[in-house]
Amino acid sequence: MRRLMILIVTVMLTGSVAMAAEISGRYVLEKVEQGFLRLDSETGAMALCTARAGVWECDAIKDQGLDLTAELARLKADNEKLKARVAELEKGAGATKLPSDQEVDRMMDIFGKMFDRFLDFAREMDSKTKDGTSL
């Protein structure tokens, strides 16, 4: 396996920039000692293709950087949690509690007192300016 990885790195490093510009299809094949190295130009996945008993088979080459199995499992779990939370919130969406008449009356009293104080303050300021006192 170590020799295979060294071979892959060597092939990748020896490839020229001009070759990369010539990539037109999804898969790029490169001849190597064991068979062909197949690169998926869309995903970056690599496979070693060999002929066994007259049948060509391609075996995926594991790359820790491309192993998305754990990340995919985590995202699926997060998605399920979020779906459950949305369903829970949608069930309780119609349960908005309106204030009682007593609570509304209390708030109106508070706003009334605040408004009266503001009017008293405005009258006081107005009388001070009429008396010739500047602000």
Side-chain angles (χ1 to χ4, degrees):
M1 184 69 176
R2 186 180 188 100
R3 286 180 46 201
L4 180 61
M5 291 306 285
I6 292 172
L7 179 66
I8 291 169
V9 171
T10 304
V11 168
M12 289 173 60
L13 292 177
T14 58
S16 68
V17 176
M19 259 179 69
E22 294 174 14
I23 296 174
S24 60
R26 177 173 177 172
Y27 296 101
V28 177
L29 296 173
E30 183 69 33
K31 179 95 173 107
V32 294
E33 188 177 312
Q34 292 90 349
F36 286 93
L37 188 62
R38 181 184 74 186
L39 169 68
D40 184 342
S41 61
E42 287 183 15
T43 65
M46 296 178 67
L48 180 62
C49 301
T50 56
R52 296 183 190 139
V55 178
W56 282 91
E57 294 179 359
C58 295
D59 297 319
I61 298 172
K62 284 232 177 211
D63 183 1
Q64 286 80 12
L66 291 177
D67 187 16
L68 302 175
T69 311
E71 180 67 8
L72 185 59
R74 184 188 69 78
L75 290 173
K76 282 183 179 180
D78 285 352
N79 192 21
E80 291 304 316
K81 287 178 189 174
L82 290 172
K83 283 180 182 179
R85 180 68 176 140
V86 166
E88 178 184 321
L89 291 172
E90 285 177 346
K91 281 185 213 174
T96 304
K97 184 182 174 238
L98 295 175
S100 67
D101 287 341
Q102 293 85 6
E103 291 171 329
V104 171
D105 289 342
R106 183 169 183 266
M107 287 305 298
M108 291 303 292
D109 287 341
I110 292 170
F111 288 135
K113 288 179 184 176
M114 288 173 55
F115 189 70
D116 289 342
R117 288 182 184 170
F118 175 75
L119 287 178
D120 290 342
F121 175 75
R123 286 185 195 115
E124 184 181 332
M125 290 295 119
D126 189 42
S127 68
K128 283 184 180 179
T129 56
K130 285 182 183 175
D131 292 339
T133 310
S134 69
L135 298 174

